[in-house]
Amino acid sequence: MTDRTTYVSLAGLRGRGWNHAMVDALLGQADVQGRDPRRWTLAPVRLYLLARVEAVERTPEFAESATPAARGAAAERRRRAVLATIRAEPIEVPRLPAAELERRAVRHRHLLGARGPGGVAAGAMVRWQVGYLRHALSRYDALLDGLYGATGRAEAERLLRRRLYEAIAAAYPHLAHECRRRTEVER
């Protein structure tokens, strides 16, 4: 068992003014990994030697990275990097024959729990098809990883959504109107 007075957890580091980027850049790997004795969890607790933490806190690198301007600059770099990745990522829409796309859209709609009369209202099939294709492209949502809170996440989500609907409209021109409508509504 480790002596808690000689180690600091990530929560303790946050209380001392650290963030995850600072921990990764300045401290690196944890000195000890173990289970939290206060509560059961699968994730191990990462502990850092207090003496090492205090030594790093006295360095100019720590003082420089702890300023609000440095934190804002790091967040801005992450935001720009994610937006650049979203802009550069090729989006591949599955190309399906019309009958197969309709079948999959109806099945997807039923899997979501939607039930209704036997017939499909005018325009509903187009909405269902776009909904199915958007769901089929949900793997691209992983491009948003790395953006937390207000660090440009809303802007990145809008850009990704717009690119996905543009790709669907390009692959299926008969769905272009619905894609434009969704882009406008989901701003």
Side-chain angles (χ1 to χ4, degrees):
M1 178 119 189
T2 59
D3 180 9
R4 293 287 177 174
T5 60
T6 59
Y7 290 93
V8 180
S9 68
L10 283 174
L13 289 173
R14 279 194 297 277
R16 296 172 71 103
W18 290 73
N19 62 34
H20 284 289
M22 293 167 62
V23 171
D24 290 343
L26 300 175
L27 286 176
Q29 293 289 347
D31 296 305
V32 175
Q33 286 194 13
R35 300 283 177 217
D36 190 342
R38 291 167 288 179
R39 59 185 153 79
W40 187 88
T41 179
L42 289 176
V45 175
R46 296 187 298 179
L47 299 173
Y48 299 86
L49 276 170
L50 181 59
R52 189 164 72 101
V53 169
E54 289 172 341
V56 170
E57 288 175 344
R58 289 188 293 271
T59 65
E61 291 83 9
F62 176 81
E64 185 179 300
S65 64
T67 64
R71 290 181 184 171
E76 180 60 21
R77 279 193 304 278
R78 275 194 315 272
R79 183 187 74 78
R80 275 190 263 129
V82 170
L83 290 174
T85 301
I86 290 171
R87 285 186 189 103
E89 184 72 21
I91 297 176
E92 299 174 19
V93 178
R95 307 277 181 160
L96 302 168
E100 178 65 14
L101 179 59
E102 280 187 24
R103 188 186 70 71
R104 289 186 185 191
V106 169
R107 184 169 184 271
H108 176 70
R109 181 77 175 168
H110 289 301
L111 287 174
L112 292 176
R115 300 282 185 242
V120 176
M125 183 55 70
V126 169
R127 289 192 303 275
W128 294 1
Q129 289 173 345
V130 172
Y132 165 74
L133 289 168
R134 175 60 185 94
H135 176 74
L137 298 174
S138 62
R139 67 183 178 277
Y140 290 101
D141 292 342
L143 294 173
L144 298 172
D145 292 349
L147 287 181
Y148 308 103
T151 317
R153 184 164 182 103
E155 179 184 2
E157 286 175 348
R158 282 191 303 273
L159 175 62
L160 179 60
R161 216 173 14 249
R162 191 189 84 229
R163 290 223 42 235
L164 291 173
Y165 286 133
E166 286 172 354
I168 292 170
Y172 298 95
H174 70 283
L175 302 176
H177 179 72
E178 176 64 15
C179 290
R180 279 192 303 275
R181 185 191 71 78
R182 286 185 183 215
T183 302
E184 290 299 317
V185 168
E186 296 177 10
R187 280 185 177 223

